[in-house]
Amino acid sequence: MMRYVARRLLWGAALLLLVCALTFVLFFLLPSGDPAALRAGRDASPETLARVREQLRLDEPVWVQFWTYVKGVVLHFDLGYSYYSSAPVSTLLWDRLPATIALALGAAVVWLAIATPIGILSALRRRSWLDRVFMGGALIAISAPVYWVGLLALYLFADDIGRFPLLPGANSYVPLTDDPGAWFGSLLLPWLVLAGAFAGIYARLLRTSLTETMSQDFVRTARAKGISESRVVVRHGVRVAITPVVTLLGVDLGVLLGGALLTEAVFNIPGIGRLGLDAIVYADFPVIQGTVLLAALFVVLANLVVDVVYAFLDPRVRYA
Amino acid sequence: MKTISSLTMKGPAMPRLLARILLAGLLCLTLPLLLAACGGDDDGGADGTAAATTPGAGDGAGGRSGGVLRIVTEEDLAAPLDAGATYSAGAFNVLTATNRPLYRYLPDDPTRAVPDLAAAAPEVSDDGRTVTVRIRDGVRYSPPVNREVVARDVKYAIERGFSPAVGNGYAGLYYGAVIGADRATGGPIAGITAPDDRTLVFRLRRPTGGLLAEALVLPLSAPVPAEYARRFDRVGEGETSQYVNHQVATGPYRFKADASGRVLGAGIVPGRRYVLERNPSWDPATDDRPAHLDGIEWSVGNDPNVAGRQVLEGSGMSLGDTPTAALIKRAVEQHPDQIFFSPGAGSRFAALNTQIPPFDDPNLRKAVAAALDRNQMRLVRGGEVLGDPATHFLYPGVSGFEEAGGMEGPGVDFLANPDGDMELARRYLAAAGYPDGRYTGSETVDVVGDSGDPSDKNAQIFDETLRSLGFRTKLRLVDSGTMYGRFCTVPRAKVEVCPNLGWQRDFDDPQTVLYAAFSGDAIAAQNNTNIPQLDDPAINAAMARAELLVDKQERAEAWAKIDRMITETGAAIPWLWDKQPVLSSKDVHCAHQVWNQGHCDLAFSSLR
């Protein structure tokens, strides 16, 4: 197992290097704002612009910039400075990371808490009115755009502009370390909104997977042994049926940890997604590179964790 | 000092929260129709027919002392928030509260600069080559510097503006005539001297003292203590000055800082929030600004519709962005005393490339100008409350506007009808060699516009106008940074039409509106500010003469004539003089900076 993990980590590092190179190539090949001009301002003379470009090392060939960047990251964990705000990129990322982690993990807990019982109930009572209500609701939740649901949730429930002022609204995010109660309250609406669509997807997936699992021979055998139905469902059925859910969870969490942009935007949660979007708007390349690398790192790690978890969930899986 | 978040959060107890989440979840499941209904009552934009409601700019008087003003925005303040570097209205708004440049404008008078750090008006020598400024006594830096400001601090502040690590965009433009500035890269400039602690002298290579004296209102003239800032300014290649993250203040407010003076992470959290608190070193006896507020907090990254509603229905807030059309309509109809339309917020125009066909022909340019429906261009932005159809380039509130013809303009026929005049356009086409009044050339006209709403609609209207005259066009809509950085300001991109351009004055001098945008000397291979690439010898010569004038009225008259000359070329088509809408909560007494997009002047505004 350790050799497997080490091998995956090495591949992950290679992948990150590739992502880094691709980001460089894309930024410099595709049309975007000129970072030197954006920093120096519209009235800057050609001489000033040239000096700023030189100062930011934008006058060097792309491969030299790439090499300097990779060297800085690998040797010093130095992600550079934002062209836009002059702040160290690592400071910006560390500042945004807690909010993104809180949003993604909290929403995952909510959607799993909603989807798991619904998926199991729907699978066990297929074609019942309960199944139809649950799956119909899931379809609606999947179809509703997060941005729209977020705005409606605010207009309904936010304690400042809502018709039914129940929960803290946009711009109320407080770091956990400042005030745990306020932190929890500020994330309730975002968790619900972000979890809505995911809950629908996961419920449908679990329903399908469990339906198929419950018709397998080993389930029939378990029943024949006289094991209670609840134990058959939980210990034999769900344990196997949950495997594709874990796969999807790994991918989704990896992506969300790279930034849940729409939810962050609607609720003004200062996360990685928002940071990345602003960096693109301002052609702030060091920050773009930092956010992309972080998102890629999360996807790599999440997939690795998922593969390791397989071994514990499914006895048939073994890693050499 | 409370944080933004703690002010917003009302701190509900946990059991109550659980009950609320359950109730919210229940309502989510059972009230889908209500959800839709609740979101739907804002639809539609301001149609331009609502009456303009423009309360006075005010001076903040009448409010109480104390409290915290919260400013919510979607866009980040254009960083870095270093007085030596920044070049945007939002950042100027913040930095006038934390810094004391030599001069500043009163909130509601965009034409008269008053001494701030300076003790009196600048003295310009008769030959226009020397400008002398006396520095006020008793102005001190915030901790950890604490000492009194002296003249050499202003010298250092301006010198560092030439450093590429600071990256000031206008230092060369307005201070470039100072002796030694043309070779400056952040080190001492021979033409700026401080013979004593209270006197600052600028010596110029050319007699442009009149312009320099006006430019002293820009934040670059705010003092910086060299002995403290130097270690942050001296950075290696590939890095930028870190003084912004450790800056000290001279104004009534300062960025919140830790014990070492570091503001990054405390008062400045890029893309998230900015927090100002009272400057303990500020002495009201040295400043005529009342500084009613105890603090100001910016919250960045807000959804514009949500933030606008929070401002209109909440308290102690102001919207730092341009509100959406739906919000403007809502404010005008339901909260008319909470919206202010700041006049003189800039001009919008379309540039036609005069260096390449087809618009190297003046008659074709005039045909397009005649055909353009400027009222429609205004309507898609929100209607008459948001501005007046432009007839020339010096816009209302800028020195020289009246001399250039005021609202009526210089009287050129192709800008006479704001609804567009197709008959006149056809006559100009005929004069250009297309007798049937329709362009029949084979080339495709490249039109590059801004993809943001509502600028994309303006670009589409312009594109339609060109097509209606027979031009084949290719419309490209890209984000604003790309539009400028890769297309419109790069002559080799050979873009024929850029319809979404805007210009704002840097200070109250017509040269700041016309020179960079239309002087042949301003044409550059990159970051070109003269986007139509107008290179008219007569206009260039008139500008060269006008920039040497010292008397303000003489400058206004001379630049008004140049404005007329530019307008007559048709190289660019002015289509709107902006009024900037500003929303505030009902309990905010906002002293609008009419010189700066109508933002609340933080040192004058108050809470009721």
Side-chain angles (χ1 to χ4, degrees):
Chain A
M1 173 68 92
M2 289 310 292
R3 281 182 61 191
Y4 172 78
V5 171
R7 199 166 67 236
R8 287 290 301 271
L9 284 174
L10 278 176
W11 275 112
L15 187 70
L16 291 180
L17 193 67
L18 185 67
V19 167
C20 189
L22 273 176
T23 315
F24 253 89
V25 170
L26 286 177
F27 181 81
F28 286 101
L29 278 189
L30 296 181
S32 69
D34 176 359
L38 286 169
R39 176 153 180 107
R42 280 179 57 195
D43 280 357
S45 65
E47 295 77 26
T48 302
L49 199 62
R51 283 200 291 265
V52 170
R53 186 165 281 120
E54 186 184 342
Q55 178 69 32
L56 299 178
R57 289 183 166 155
L58 291 165
D59 59 331
E60 293 175 347
V62 175
W63 69 268
V64 174
Q65 293 182 49
F66 177 68
W67 174 243
T68 308
Y69 182 81
V70 171
K71 217 166 54 176
V73 174
V74 174
L75 298 182
H76 311 291
F77 194 62
D78 177 9
L79 295 165
Y81 288 84
S82 159
Y83 295 157
Y84 185 71
S85 67
S86 294
V89 174
S90 52
T91 303
L92 295 174
L93 291 175
W94 280 119
D95 181 58
R96 302 298 189 103
L97 202 51
T100 293
I101 290 175
L103 178 63
L105 292 185
V109 169
V110 173
W111 86 59
L112 288 176
I114 296 170
T116 307
I118 288 178
I120 293 172
L121 280 174
S122 288
L124 297 180
R125 300 185 186 178
R126 272 189 306 151
R127 298 199 183 89
S128 68
W129 66 267
L130 192 68
D131 177 33
R132 290 177 207 282
V133 168
F134 280 152
M135 290 303 105
L139 203 60
I140 291 172
I142 293 167
S143 310
V146 170
Y147 192 82
W148 180 76
V149 174
L151 285 177
L152 290 181
L154 285 172
Y155 293 154
L156 274 177
F157 305 122
D159 59 5
D160 48 4
I161 58 171
R163 296 282 173 96
F164 311 100
L166 297 171
L167 296 169
N171 199 17
S172 61
Y173 176 79
V174 188
L176 175 66
T177 48
D178 283 10
D179 183 343
W183 169 84
F184 185 75
S186 69
L187 284 169
L188 282 174
L189 267 184
W191 281 336
L192 284 171
V193 168
L194 182 59
F198 284 103
I201 294 168
Y202 279 65
R204 290 179 72 86
L205 181 67
L206 183 58
R207 175 186 178 275
T208 307
S209 179
L210 187 58
T211 302
E212 193 182 317
T213 306
M214 293 305 284
S215 64
Q216 300 273 321
D217 290 345
F218 70 89
V219 173
R220 199 176 306 117
T221 306
R223 280 180 176 142
K225 283 180 177 174
I227 299 172
S228 69
E229 184 62 16
S230 61
R231 196 175 167 86
V232 169
V233 170
V234 175
R235 293 292 298 273
H236 296 269
V238 172
R239 187 175 171 188
V240 173
I242 206 105
T243 309
V245 173
V246 171
T247 308
L248 191 62
L249 183 66
V251 175
D252 284 341
L253 267 183
V255 171
L256 283 181
L257 287 171
L261 176 59
L262 292 177
T263 312
E264 288 175 9
V266 176
F267 292 95
N268 193 15
I269 296 169
I272 298 290
R274 185 84 208 190
L275 180 69
L277 177 71
D278 288 344
I280 291 168
V281 170
Y282 303 131
D284 194 352
F285 182 66
V287 180
I288 295 173
Q289 185 70 278
T291 52
V292 169
L293 265 183
L294 191 69
L297 177 69
F298 280 129
V299 172
V300 167
L301 289 180
N303 277 292
L304 178 61
V305 170
V306 164
D307 288 348
V308 172
V309 168
Y310 275 164
F312 295 99
L313 282 178
D314 192 338
R316 294 168 297 182
V317 176
R318 289 287 178 271
Y319 296 114
Chain B
M1 171 63 63
K2 293 176 180 176
T3 66
I4 292 167
S5 303
S6 63
L7 279 169
T8 308
M9 184 65 203
K10 292 174 183 166
M14 286 297 292
R16 219 169 141 200
L17 272 176
L18 287 173
R20 286 177 173 191
I21 183 177
L22 288 173
L23 186 51
L26 187 65
L27 286 169
C28 276
L29 289 171
T30 57
L31 295 176
L33 290 176
L34 185 59
L35 288 174
C38 287
D41 61 359
D42 278 339
D43 292 342
D47 58 9
T49 56
T53 52
T54 305
D59 60 0
R64 63 184 168 86
S65 183
V68 174
L69 175 65
R70 296 172 55 218
I71 299 177
V72 287
T73 70
E74 180 188 22
E75 289 184 16
D76 197 1
L77 287 166
L81 280 174
D82 179 337
T86 197
Y87 200 11
S88 78
F92 280 17
N93 177 236
V94 184
L95 294 172
T96 50
T98 59
N99 286 276
R100 298 189 67 173
L102 291 171
Y103 299 90
R104 64 179 155 79
Y105 294 110
L106 293 170
D108 55 357
D109 187 351
T111 60
R112 193 166 56 92
V114 297
D116 192 341
L117 178 62
E123 297 162 18
V124 183
S125 64
D126 290 342
D127 65 359
R129 290 177 183 268
T130 306
V131 178
T132 306
V133 179
R134 309 285 168 199
I135 305 293
R136 190 186 293 269
D137 290 327
V139 177
R140 305 184 73 84
Y141 290 108
S142 63
V145 175
N146 288 314
R147 72 164 171 79
E148 189 171 353
V149 173
V150 292
R152 64 176 176 279
D153 297 338
V154 180
K155 171 179 162 64
Y156 178 72
I158 295 170
E159 287 168 348
R160 70 187 284 276
F162 285 84
S163 161
V166 174
N168 184 292
Y170 60 80
L173 190 63
Y174 299 126
Y175 294 85
V178 174
I179 292 170
D182 52 338
R183 296 179 304 278
T185 56
I189 295 175
I192 307 176
T193 54
D196 59 59
D197 283 354
R198 299 281 151 246
T199 307
L200 189 69
V201 179
F202 298 91
R203 287 181 291 113
L204 309 175
R205 285 181 286 118
R206 294 182 292 130
T208 54
L211 180 70
L212 179 77
E214 294 285 346
L216 297 175
V217 297
L218 291 170
L220 183 60
S221 74
V224 174
E227 77 281 6
Y228 171 76
R230 218 167 246 139
R231 63 188 144 128
F232 303 118
D233 284 338
R234 285 182 179 157
V235 291
E237 203 178 322
E239 296 175 18
T240 53
S241 166
Q242 291 297 299
Y243 175 67
V244 61
N245 298 324
H246 301 265
Q247 63 186 285
V248 287
T250 48
Y253 300 99
R254 65 168 180 169
F255 287 105
K256 193 178 176 184
D258 64 17
S260 71
R262 181 180 161 96
V263 299
L264 182 65
I268 293 182
V269 187
R272 281 186 58 179
R273 66 172 190 272
Y274 301 91
V275 182
L276 298 188
E277 60 185 11
R278 285 194 183 277
N279 175 2
S281 302
W282 180 68
D283 180 359
T286 67
D287 201 332
D288 61 359
R289 294 181 288 181
H292 296 296
L293 299 163
D294 284 339
I296 303 103
E297 298 179 353
W298 269 260
S299 164
V300 178
N302 296 276
D303 179 87
N305 283 302
V306 173
R309 280 203 184 195
Q310 287 174 325
V311 167
L312 289 175
E313 293 166 24
S315 69
M317 302 168 81
S318 181
L319 187 68
D321 293 322
T322 300
T324 60
L327 272 173
I328 294 170
K329 184 183 179 194
R330 186 184 185 93
V332 168
E333 289 175 351
Q334 299 177 26
H335 309 271
D337 54 340
Q338 290 176 236
I339 187 165
F340 173 73
F341 293 95
S342 185
S347 67
R348 294 182 189 273
F349 60 91
L352 307 176
N353 192 331
T354 59
Q355 298 297 314
I356 54 176
F359 297 117
D360 54 348
D361 183 336
N363 284 317
L364 289 180
R365 302 197 294 259
K366 291 171 187 174
V368 176
L372 182 66
D373 185 341
R374 285 169 286 146
N375 271 333
Q376 198 187 0
M377 295 285 272
R378 179 176 66 165
L379 194 61
V380 298
R381 300 193 71 82
E384 65 188 67
V385 293
L386 290 181
D388 300 300
T391 52
H392 52 111
F393 296 98
L394 288 178
Y395 55 88
V398 176
S399 176
F401 169 73
E402 292 300 339
E403 291 82 353
M407 301 300 284
E408 294 299 316
V412 293
D413 58 354
F414 54 84
L415 292 173
N417 188 346
D419 295 323
D421 185 341
M422 285 303 286
E423 190 52 44
L424 180 64
R426 288 193 188 96
R427 289 209 296 275
Y428 272 114
L429 277 165
Y434 302 93
D436 59 352
R438 190 168 174 81
Y439 184 73
T440 55
S442 59
E443 67 271 73
T444 298
V445 172
D446 205 359
V447 183
V448 178
D450 183 344
S451 58
D453 183 44
S455 296
D456 56 340
K457 298 182 185 71
N458 290 129
Q460 285 159 2
I461 291 171
F462 205 95
D463 185 59
E464 278 302 311
T465 304
L466 289 168
R467 285 171 179 269
S468 70
L469 295 173
F471 292 95
R472 292 182 196 175
T473 65
K474 178 184 174 189
L475 174 63
R476 255 191 285 201
L477 296 176
V478 293
D479 69 90
S480 173
T482 306
M483 180 188 82
Y484 280 110
R486 301 293 183 198
F487 294 104
C488 293
T489 66
V490 184
R492 71 168 181 276
K494 294 192 182 300
V495 175
E496 280 90 359
V497 179
C498 289
N500 292 124
L501 306 179
W503 203 269
Q504 295 158 11
R505 65 177 204 168
D506 289 333
F507 46 88
D508 184 40
D509 191 282
Q511 184 173 335
T512 71
V513 177
L514 299 179
Y515 178 82
F518 300 108
S519 164
D521 296 338
I523 298 174
Q526 277 188 315
N527 215 33
N528 171 40
T529 51
N530 181 348
I531 294 174
Q533 298 177 62
L534 178 65
D535 193 8
D536 184 314
I539 292 173
N540 296 343
M543 285 187 177
R545 288 191 299 274
E547 75 168 336
L548 303 182
L549 297 171
V550 173
D551 180 76
K552 191 160 183 163
Q553 184 55 35
E554 286 179 15
R555 290 182 67 80
E557 289 167 7
W559 285 97
K561 283 180 188 162
I562 293 167
D563 182 44
R564 175 187 294 265
M565 293 166 76
I566 295 167
T567 306
E568 285 171 348
T569 67
I573 305 169
W575 51 266
L576 188 69
W577 289 323
D578 271 320
K579 290 178 185 170
Q580 176 69 26
V582 181
L583 301 183
S584 300
S585 298
K586 56 186 173 298
D587 62 341
V588 172
H589 198 126
C590 176
H592 295 279
Q593 289 178 333
V594 177
W595 60 272
N596 186 31
Q597 305 278 296
H599 289 290
C600 297
D601 191 313
L602 307 171
F604 282 91
S605 297
S606 60
L607 302 180
R608 292 191 172 100

